[in-house]
Amino acid sequence: MLARRNFLRASLAIGGGLLLTASIPGISRAAILGKAGPDVVVLNAYVRIAPDGRVTITAKNPEVGQGVKIMLPMLIAEELDVAWADVQIEQADLDSRYPRQVAGGSTATPTNWLPLRQVGAAGRQMLIAAAAAEWNVPAAECETTPGQVVHKPSGRSLSYGTLATKAAAFPVPDVNGLKLKDPKDFRIIGKPTRNIEVQRIVTGQPMFGIDVSVPGMLYAVFQKCDVHGGRLVRSNVATIRNLPGVRAAFEVKGGTDLHGLLDGVAVVADSWWLANRARQQLDITWDEGNIAGQSSADFAATAARMAKGAPESILREDGDVKAAFGKAAHVIEAAYHYPFLSHIDLEPQNCTARYAEGKIEIWAPTQNPAPGAKLVSATLGIPESAITVHMVRAGGGFGRRLSNDYMVEAAWISKVVGAPVKLLWTREDDMRHDFYRPAGFHFFKGGVDGDGRLLAFSDHFVTFSQDGDVASSADMGTAEFPARLVENLQFGTSMIPLRAPTGPMRAPRSNGLGFAFQSFLDELAHTAGKDRVEFALNLLGKPRLLPDPPGPRAGPGFDTGRMRGVIELVADKSGWGKQKLPNGTGMGLAYYFSHLGYFAEVVKATVSSAGAITIDNVWVVGDIGSQIINPLNAENQAQGAALDGIGAALGQAVLIDAGKVVQGNFDTVLPLRMRQAPPVEVHFLVTDHPPTGLGEPALPPALPALANAIFAATGKRIRSLPFKDHDLSTTA
């Protein structure tokens, strides 16, 4: 239930017609789940109806390929009762009327499902009121069909365009009294709807940040120290200024915040090619600080040493783990590792900025523009009111563009040169100055009894710290599966100091934890002599809700029945256990709950005698609640998430040596190639729960499902990523 009665405002649009503004009050995460809570998320939406009947709906959130620019307007258009073909969509700029303009956490659906439908329903009711007044009939006798109000008793009708100006004068209805459509009457929600920008994308029309062009624009590159946070000592900028096409070259003395403006050298030229060519002739001396000795090899050795001792801290302890291991019929131990990862957005980081007369205009493919504006304000010393941020479609994000370091770099360079500037990073910049998915080390121990039931489970998790706290996205919750389902369980953690920046990546935390935990559970099922599906269902037990531990990150709990449902359906759709597989072919199962979504996945893979992996099929089943808003985009998101996870598992890792990232391009960090991509069959289990997001929860099960399939095919257990580092060949 919304906290305020009147969150909608109506006014006349320029040129006539209805302008409907939705100032949606705070909706907490708990409220989304049917409970009260203090942590609010404030949203806005706009609807414009022109006198000629055109309906313009503003999409407030950044579009990074997740389909939100289509999905949010669909919610409004459905309840407004307009034909989708009559809807125009425009992308909002950063605006204080649109709080929390962010793309991340798969939150767009749960936070907007009810409020934006109410926006549309309120507009529909105002149009009905205007028509009823025009005809001098009770509003209750009127109804709508797409784009018009109808009075059936008299057979009269009026178009929305005709009514729009009059409707703007009517009071906005109390949202709590609005009647929303029954889902059986949906005309737009639930119907496969193609992305309106597909044609522009496939024909290469300019629409991304990298395509922005403004009059008088120059091009910039920015050289930073490859040891993160290294300080500039001296450079040959005087020489660089004299190179062909170079308009400016200057040193930047930034701060130490890796999310902000760092030390470096900016080169500005008439073209990006000239700027980058001049950059290649830079001669810079850096003070690399005291972290140049950090390396991935040292991290692994330190983790192995830590694993031999007790954890530095205990996250969770249930029962008597030590005694339970003593009673177990079978006990196994295994060490798992996943590496640092770069986001590898296909569009490298870029930003266009125009500074003039104390104000700055920015075009940025950002996932999180508001903190970017604050960063620019603080760094340039100008008020936020003097900053305009245009949100440009991004060529991928996956969490990387939640940070806005590229935005403040472009703004600073534009202010110094006094001209519009497009800053464009190289692929090497992008990989070596990322906010990496943290690496992690898990040292598991598990025990099963004589009946194959999981009796005891422990994990010593060695992760990373920065400035005394756990590094961003490097933590693990106390409710991590199989917690709450094993009577005797211990989670402990130890931390290694880290300088390299880390941050969220698609399905933060879960993208690594899912691989480690679900692979080890597969080992336990094998040790117990149980079919993987049977082992999972026995572990889950009867359908019930397991509440989350109290705390700031407490969620809705874990529903064992919903997880059972997706496991049973994916087993059925994949033909689990019903087919005899040839030698070298195996099927693997994994399941995971993250970002409010329950997903189970089966991978079928074949490994040749030479060790080459062919992924034959992937089956994905998800439970994201009672409604799939856009089935076409939902299928795309689930397929993309599964393939994203598989690509990371097969060939991606970022290694640190002497404080620097070793990899720099797609020859060493390998995206999934088209020839490697298997068919991905997606199914959704519709359940009686509020709709939730989809960009992230389908990813975590993909990695362990593939690892488990490889074990089933070869008998070789992969406990570290990427798979390309393992020899899976067989001898004659």
Side-chain angles (χ1 to χ4, degrees):
M1 189 68 68
L2 295 175
R4 302 176 195 165
R5 290 173 56 86
N6 294 316
F7 71 98
L8 291 166
R9 297 190 180 193
S11 61
L12 283 172
I14 295 174
L18 172 64
L19 174 61
L20 185 62
T21 305
S23 300
I24 301 172
I27 304 173
S28 71
R29 177 182 175 86
I32 294 165
L33 305 163
K35 297 179 280 187
D39 50 324
V40 298
V41 177
V42 184
L43 307 167
N44 267 350
Y46 288 95
V47 176
R48 293 201 307 272
I49 302 176
D52 63 2
R54 290 177 300 166
V55 177
T56 301
I57 300 177
T58 301
K60 74 177 187 66
N61 282 6
E63 176 60 59
V64 295
Q66 81 281 39
V68 74
K69 189 174 180 179
I70 305 300
M71 186 272 288
L72 295 183
M74 286 176 70
L75 299 177
I76 298 172
E78 179 65 73
E79 296 291 349
L80 186 62
D81 203 8
V82 294
W84 184 248
D86 294 334
V87 173
Q88 300 180 46
I89 300 173
E90 64 180 28
Q91 177 67 59
D93 289 338
L94 176 64
D95 194 312
S96 60
R97 296 171 297 174
Y98 299 96
R100 190 171 164 74
Q101 292 177 276
V102 61
S106 295
T107 57
T109 294
T111 56
N112 288 288
W113 168 249
L114 177 61
L116 291 192
R117 289 175 63 206
Q118 289 175 326
V119 168
R124 184 178 77 245
Q125 188 165 320
M126 293 168 67
L127 290 159
I128 287 174
E134 180 76 16
W135 295 322
N136 195 26
V137 300
E141 292 184 1
C142 301
E143 57 188 75
T144 62
T145 59
Q148 60 182 349
V149 180
V150 176
H151 183 242
K152 282 189 174 181
S154 64
R156 289 175 290 182
S157 65
L158 285 170
S159 71
Y160 282 5
T162 301
L163 293 167
T165 299
K166 188 170 186 176
F170 277 78
V172 176
D174 178 0
V175 297
N176 294 322
L178 293 172
K179 182 179 179 181
L180 300 179
K181 283 187 178 182
D182 189 305
K184 67 180 177 57
D185 298 324
F186 285 164
R187 294 188 177 100
I188 296 173
I189 294 174
K191 304 301 186 290
T193 304
R194 188 170 299 280
N195 189 318
I196 58 173
E197 294 176 334
V198 165
Q199 181 68 20
R200 294 180 63 193
I201 293 171
V202 299
T203 56
Q205 297 181 44
M207 59 186 299
F208 296 93
I210 201 171
D211 300 318
V212 170
S213 180
V214 299
M217 185 178 74
L218 301 175
Y219 296 82
V221 294
F222 188 52
Q223 179 68 52
K224 294 178 285 192
C225 182
D226 282 341
V227 173
H228 300 102
R231 306 307 298 262
L232 187 149
V233 177
R234 65 182 64 88
S235 70
N236 64 334
V237 289
T239 301
I240 301 301
R241 294 187 188 113
N242 296 319
L243 294 177
V246 172
R247 295 290 193 94
F250 54 90
E251 296 180 351
V252 176
K253 294 292 188 178
T256 58
D257 182 1
L258 296 176
H259 291 264
L261 184 67
L262 298 174
D263 280 17
V265 174
V267 180
V268 181
D270 292 325
S271 72
W272 185 85
W273 186 83
L274 288 171
N276 198 52
R277 186 178 183 185
R279 173 191 186 178
Q280 293 167 6
Q281 299 184 52
L282 280 169
D283 182 10
I284 305 175
T285 301
W286 301 100
D287 176 0
E288 296 181 345
N290 59 1
I291 67 161
Q294 289 199 332
S295 72
S296 294
D298 289 339
F299 295 150
T302 301
R305 184 174 66 253
M306 286 180 158
K308 295 177 181 178
E312 293 175 346
S313 61
I314 300 297
L315 298 178
R316 182 184 186 117
E317 189 159 27
D318 299 330
D320 189 334
V321 174
K322 184 176 180 180
F325 280 130
K327 298 175 183 177
H330 303 283
V331 176
I332 62 170
E333 298 184 55
Y336 277 81
H337 165 62
Y338 42 86
F340 294 97
L341 284 183
S342 175
H343 294 81
I344 60 171
D345 307 331
L346 286 184
E347 178 193 26
Q349 310 315 312
N350 65 89
C351 182
T352 300
R354 178 167 57 196
Y355 181 91
E357 299 179 350
K359 297 183 178 181
I360 190 160
E361 191 171 8
I362 295 171
W363 292 261
T366 173
Q367 290 181 246
N368 202 9
K374 290 183 182 297
L375 179 64
V376 170
S377 172
T379 307
L380 272 63
I382 60 177
E384 287 186 56
S385 59
I387 301 171
T388 299
V389 179
H390 304 291
M391 293 188 295
V392 186
R393 186 184 178 104
F398 313 113
R400 172 58 180 92
R401 289 184 160 102
L402 291 169
S403 297
N404 293 288
D405 45 340
Y406 52 92
M407 185 189 293
V408 75
E409 290 171 2
W412 183 270
I413 295 169
S414 178
K415 183 180 180 182
V416 171
V417 299
V421 167
K422 176 190 283 185
L423 172 73
L424 174 61
W425 289 19
T426 65
R427 177 60 57 194
E428 288 76 11
D429 291 333
D430 206 41
M431 284 193 186
R432 291 174 179 155
H433 296 281
D434 204 340
F435 294 89
Y436 304 97
R437 191 283 300 275
F441 304 86
H442 293 265
F443 299 90
F444 291 120
K445 186 176 182 180
V448 294
D449 64 16
D451 295 325
R453 293 175 300 186
L454 185 55
L455 185 64
F457 188 99
S458 70
D459 176 31
H460 184 172
F461 176 34
V462 179
T463 186
F464 293 92
S465 66
Q466 289 180 332
D467 301 321
D469 295 322
V470 64
S472 176
S473 298
D475 57 331
M476 181 176 77
T478 60
E480 183 66 32
F481 191 89
R484 299 174 288 189
L485 292 166
V486 183
E487 185 176 352
N488 305 287
L489 178 142
Q490 183 188 82
F491 289 160
T493 185
S494 300
M495 293 194 289
I496 302 172
L498 176 71
R499 178 60 179 171
T502 64
M505 177 179 280
R506 192 175 193 175
R509 306 171 185 85
S510 303
N511 50 35
L513 297 173
F515 162 70
F517 277 83
Q518 285 289 310
S519 295
F520 185 62
L521 285 169
D522 192 82
E523 290 200 56
L524 286 166
H526 180 74
T527 300
K530 296 289 185 181
D531 173 81
R532 183 71 168 96
V533 171
E534 178 188 5
F535 186 81
L537 296 178
N538 287 341
L539 179 59
L540 289 164
K542 65 181 181 180
R544 62 202 187 281
L545 181 65
L546 304 175
D548 276 356
R553 287 175 56 188
F558 179 81
D559 191 324
T560 63
R562 297 179 74 180
M563 188 59 81
R564 289 181 65 95
V566 294
I567 292 173
E568 290 169 341
L569 186 56
V570 82
D572 176 65
K573 295 297 183 181
S574 66
W576 181 271
K578 297 179 181 178
Q579 52 186 300
K580 182 175 176 58
L581 301 176
N583 290 338
T585 297
M587 295 176 70
L589 167 75
Y591 51 95
Y592 204 82
F593 169 67
S594 75
H595 295 80
L596 305 179
Y598 293 80
F599 276 81
E601 301 177 18
V602 169
V603 171
K604 180 181 177 183
T606 299
V607 182
S608 71
S609 59
I613 301 170
T614 299
I615 305 168
D616 304 305
N617 295 95
V618 178
W619 292 268
V620 176
V621 172
D623 176 355
I624 55 171
S626 60
Q627 183 65 61
I628 310 300
I629 297 171
N630 184 355
L632 187 64
N633 188 62
E635 180 183 36
N636 176 271
Q637 287 295 297
Q639 290 173 332
L643 294 175
D644 201 2
I646 287 170
L650 288 175
Q652 296 174 25
V654 162
L655 302 177
I656 296 173
D657 184 40
K660 301 177 183 179
V661 169
V662 175
Q663 289 73 18
N665 215 310
F666 290 145
D667 58 337
T668 49
V669 175
L670 308 178
L672 191 71
R673 267 54 177 181
M674 291 182 67
R675 66 178 182 275
Q676 297 174 294
V680 181
E681 183 179 313
V682 178
H683 301 273
F684 291 104
L685 184 63
V686 176
T687 58
D688 189 21
H689 296 89
T692 56
L694 190 54
E696 294 166 289
L699 185 147
L703 293 83
L706 176 55
N708 296 338
I710 291 172
F711 173 76
T714 65
K716 294 185 177 183
R717 184 68 68 178
I718 295 179
R719 298 189 179 97
S720 65
L721 299 175
F723 295 167
K724 70 180 181 67
D725 293 343
H726 296 266
D727 182 5
L728 298 175
S729 62
T730 58
T731 57

